[in-house]
Amino acid sequence: RLRAGENGAHRGARGPEPPGEAQAPFLAWRGVLKLWSGSYERALSDLTRAEKLGNHDSRCWGGGAAALLGRLDEALAKLTALLTKDPADQEGLVFRAEVLRLLGRPREASRDLDELLARAPDHPWALVNRALCSLALNDEASARRDYLRLAYGPKAARLAVERATMEGLLRGA
């Protein structure tokens, strides 16, 4: 029976950390697991350490952890730094858009989501978040189009919008 610290098998609740190059990805994945389990402060700690060791992906998840802690300015800074290095990072664009929306900046958020959806037209979280931004901007038609696209695919969404447009024209005639 092993006890904490015996044979290097266990060091408290954290577990052993690998040395050298393996430490950054280890910290990043451990941080992600903590994030998924709801331990946001501990997740942010590991993800920040991984980021300092050069793990690029840690910025995105660290931004998510900071946002979940209500530290929106910190989250925005992390996500903007990530997107400066990799403007096409899909998760980074979705996360930053969510932070911008929460900061009351839905137009800026929509720009990130439009950019992502131009490359990945059926990205589910981009569609959900863009619909939320549209609602924040009192644009119910755009929100409805994104929700329909999410639920039924792009062709069904286009047909539903065309039908609603025609029905509106007929009612007005």
Side-chain angles (χ1 to χ4, degrees):
R1 186 168 167 218
L2 291 176
R3 283 177 273 170
E6 247 180 70
N7 297 331
H10 178 66
R11 290 188 187 136
R14 295 177 57 102
E17 291 183 10
E21 290 179 16
Q23 191 171 28
F26 170 83
L27 288 168
W29 280 110
R30 187 172 74 183
V32 168
L33 290 172
K34 288 176 182 177
L35 179 64
W36 290 340
S37 68
S39 184
Y40 306 136
E41 195 69 55
R42 291 174 57 206
L44 185 57
S45 174
D46 277 351
L47 292 163
T48 300
R49 286 180 58 206
E51 181 184 340
K52 288 178 181 174
L53 292 171
N55 185 282
H56 173 72
D57 297 328
S58 299
R59 283 190 179 138
C60 184
W61 291 102
L68 288 166
L69 287 166
R71 292 154 50 178
L72 298 178
D73 291 331
E74 179 182 350
L76 184 59
K78 284 182 176 292
L79 295 163
T80 299
L82 165 76
L83 291 166
T84 299
K85 288 191 176 204
D86 185 3
D89 187 293
Q90 291 186 5
E91 280 183 317
L93 286 165
V94 169
F95 281 22
R96 184 170 74 176
E98 177 63 7
V99 169
L100 287 167
R101 186 182 69 80
L102 292 171
L103 286 168
R105 296 159 59 182
R107 283 193 203 292
E108 290 175 69
S110 292
R111 283 194 288 272
D112 277 354
L113 298 166
D114 290 343
E115 184 180 325
L116 171 54
L117 288 164
R119 287 191 299 272
D122 297 319
H123 192 289
W125 290 112
L127 289 168
V128 167
N129 284 349
R130 190 170 70 178
L132 292 171
C133 289
S134 295
L135 289 173
L137 295 166
N138 296 314
D139 182 356
E140 290 184 27
S142 294
R144 186 176 297 111
R145 184 180 59 242
D146 282 338
Y147 280 130
L148 289 169
R149 184 177 187 142
L150 180 66
Y152 302 111
K155 185 176 180 184
R158 184 175 42 80
L159 292 174
V161 169
E162 288 173 5
R163 179 180 174 193
T165 302
M166 289 303 291
E167 287 174 357
L169 290 173
L170 292 174
R171 268 188 253 130

